[in-house]
Amino acid sequence: MRELGEFGLIARMNAGRAQAPDVVLGPGDDAAVIAAPAGRYVVSADMLIQDRHFRLDWSSPREIGAKAIAQNAADVVAMGSAPSAFLVSLGCPADTTVEFIDGLVEGLWAEAGRAGGSIAGGDVVSAPLLVISVTAFGDPAGRPPVLRSGARPGDIVAVAGRLGWSAAGLAILSAGLDCESCPELVAAHRLPCPPYEAVLDLPRGTAVTAMTDVSDGLLADIGHIAESSGVAIDLDTGSVRDETLDHAAKLVDADPLAWALTGGEDHAFAATFAAGQQLPDGWRRVGRVGAGAGVTVDGRGWTGLVGWESFTGGG
Amino acid sequence: MRELGEFGLIARMNAGRAQAPDVVLGPGDDAAVIAAPAGRYVVSADMLIQDRHFRLDWSSPREIGAKAIAQNAADVVAMGSAPSAFLVSLGCPADTTVEFIDGLVEGLWAEAGRAGGSIAGGDVVSAPLLVISVTAFGDPAGRPPVLRSGARPGDIVAVAGRLGWSAAGLAILSAGLDCESCPELVAAHRLPCPPYEAVLDLPRGTAVTAMTDVSDGLLADIGHIAESSGVAIDLDTGSVRDETLDHAAKLVDADPLAWALTGGEDHAFAATFAAGQQLPDGWRRVGRVGAGAGVTVDGRGWTGLVGWESFTGGG
């Protein structure tokens, strides 16, 4: 890293890469230029800190890079928008190896491509620990943004993607268990796999009234929809039961339902659909919107830890 | 900070703030939505790390916040675009005081407003040291982007803004001198003041052929224009002489010309104008574009340190 220098590193990050169609001007000038065919664009930013959001002994460089993109792409997709480009600012120690950077960059580009975008630029600075800060850009693609505030009583609550797998994988790793005991959960923690297509392929005219990605846990994120929309939401535990979680929970003496309801970082999508709307491919019903306020589980209050919040949470 | 939590902190950052006109949807959902009336937009990102890009004993929280915005806004303006919005991702220790955050946020908003934009969202995470990552968005406002690659032999090289003041202020602080001996230089280091209006008020039709902001030092940044444009540039030392720098240089036994030519972080703007173009308000001539390659000073090679680069530089 010290040998490459900032400019050498940036050149290495972009060598041989093709930019996505919406990137009018990529890296190399003071700023990048992105197309906004809809006359507006969607933006979101997240920061990942070493030993807090990832651990070098638990994740490969490629997985860390892909995860950083995935969580930002999920925010853009949760607005109903198609990811177009990403900026990545990287803080890293001077003794970071070129192999590490190559792996990280490979992961950044791989997940950006899966989401439909490219790495259009960023910044590289020296820092005492790894910091990865990503901004994601999206094109509304002809749809008005799907906000958290549009849920109405009578709507169906549905989820696309996994719930609780990342949290379960983290518990397996934290307990020091052999990763082979639940390889799919450990993999889900190392590399979330947001089902972008479940949102981006929604047929035109689908009556989706509110949407968010599940980054802090289903209860917490559904709670944001309930609060923003001024409605109550009841979740049905029968619909979030998962045999894979049940199996892992026995190994580490945990509650699989707590993983499914409060585990963050899977970046599933949670949405509400108008009553009568047939659920599109990839979506499963997990609850119902009613009048009132707050989130209940099988008609009752949930007494466990709700979601995950920086500074006060357990993460 | 621990008491407020992530969501309380985000609420505090945005309470009572008015978004800029181009911000269609501000903080509070999965992502923000920004208008792009030109059908394209300009984006740039920079990361600031505590004790590398700022020191808590040398700068106030307000100055740190303003500096973080200024250096990003300058990148957008250097493309000839008008800043519209900023995303700010903040990593901070759990014991960070609310007073510190309030000052930082005040500085972020103040400089965003000076540049013509607002803080449209971001992220807050816990980190062992302060990390401030900013993404700036700009509207081309009817102009094609002014790239680094458009300089042609015969063009005039000109600068708007200060050169070397931030570097001189840093030298004064590093030497432990009384800040009162050169208060304007110390202030320039703590809070760069890019002359956005010198670019944004350029009369339509001004023949500006290439532009960049001076973040790494005039020689280095003019070098980027020379390289991208495939031209040679000769700078005239007579035009960058500065009595304020001369005075300070005597105090710390430094070379005032080295500050002016290689000092970074003032975020002046350097541009090339077609021969015969009368220089607009706020711009002064510092050199000339010729055929060939590389940057010379008074017709000769410069032998001092060229600019500032992460990992290999002196910063």
Side-chain angles (χ1 to χ4, degrees), chain A residues 256-286:
Chain A
L257 190 58
W259 281 338
L261 291 175
T262 67
E265 300 207 337
D266 284 297
H267 301 289
F269 297 102
T272 56
F273 294 86
Q277 170 70 53
Q278 198 187 342
L279 287 184
D281 284 350
W283 293 85
R284 62 188 187 279
R285 188 187 183 288
V286 298

Side-chain angles (χ1 to χ4, degrees), chain A residues 53 67 71 166 188-189 192 214-217 263-268 308:
Chain A
H53 300 103
K67 185 173 184 169
Q71 70 179 53
S166 178
H189 174 70
V214 182
S215 52
D216 297 328
E265 300 207 337
D266 284 297
H267 301 289
W308 189 100

Side-chain angles (χ1 to χ4, degrees), chain A residues 1-9 24-25 28-50 52-53 71 74-76 78-79 84-85 87-94 120 122-129 131-138 140 145-149 211-213 215-216 224 228 308-312, chain B residues 1-9 24-25 28-50 52-53 71 74-76 78-79 84-85 87-94 120 122-129 131-138 140 145-149 211-213 215-216 224 228 308-312:
Chain A
M1 174 65 70
R2 205 179 273 112
E3 292 155 36
L4 276 177
E6 175 184 356
F7 297 118
L9 181 60
V24 179
L25 180 71
D29 215 296
D30 293 298
V33 182
I34 320 282
R40 53 177 58 188
Y41 54 102
V42 166
V43 293
S44 180
D46 270 318
M47 182 181 278
L48 280 78
I49 307 281
Q50 179 179 342
R52 180 162 181 88
H53 300 103
Q71 70 179 53
D75 279 326
V76 163
M79 302 294 280
S84 51
L87 294 187
V88 179
S89 289
L90 184 62
C92 54
D123 189 21
V124 179
V125 299
S126 177
L129 80 176
V131 182
I132 308 170
S133 185
V134 176
T135 305
F137 309 96
V146 184
L147 307 183
R148 296 175 177 174
S149 54
M211 188 156 53
T212 189
D213 82 309
S215 52
D216 297 328
H224 296 149
S228 299
W308 189 100
E309 189 178 355
S310 284
F311 304 111
T312 52
Chain B
M1 177 63 72
R2 206 179 270 112
E3 293 156 35
L4 277 177
E6 177 183 355
F7 297 118
L9 180 61
V24 180
L25 179 72
D29 215 296
D30 293 297
V33 182
I34 319 282
R40 52 177 59 187
Y41 54 101
V42 167
V43 294
S44 179
D46 269 318
M47 184 182 276
L48 280 79
I49 306 280
Q50 178 179 342
R52 179 160 181 91
H53 301 103
Q71 71 178 52
D75 280 325
V76 163
M79 301 293 282
S84 51
L87 294 188
V88 180
S89 290
L90 183 63
C92 53
D123 190 21
V124 180
V125 299
S126 177
L129 81 175
V131 182
I132 308 170
S133 185
V134 176
T135 306
F137 308 97
V146 183
L147 306 184
R148 297 174 177 174
S149 54
M211 188 157 52
T212 189
D213 82 310
S215 52
D216 297 327
H224 296 149
S228 299
W308 189 101
E309 190 178 355
S310 285
F311 305 110
T312 52

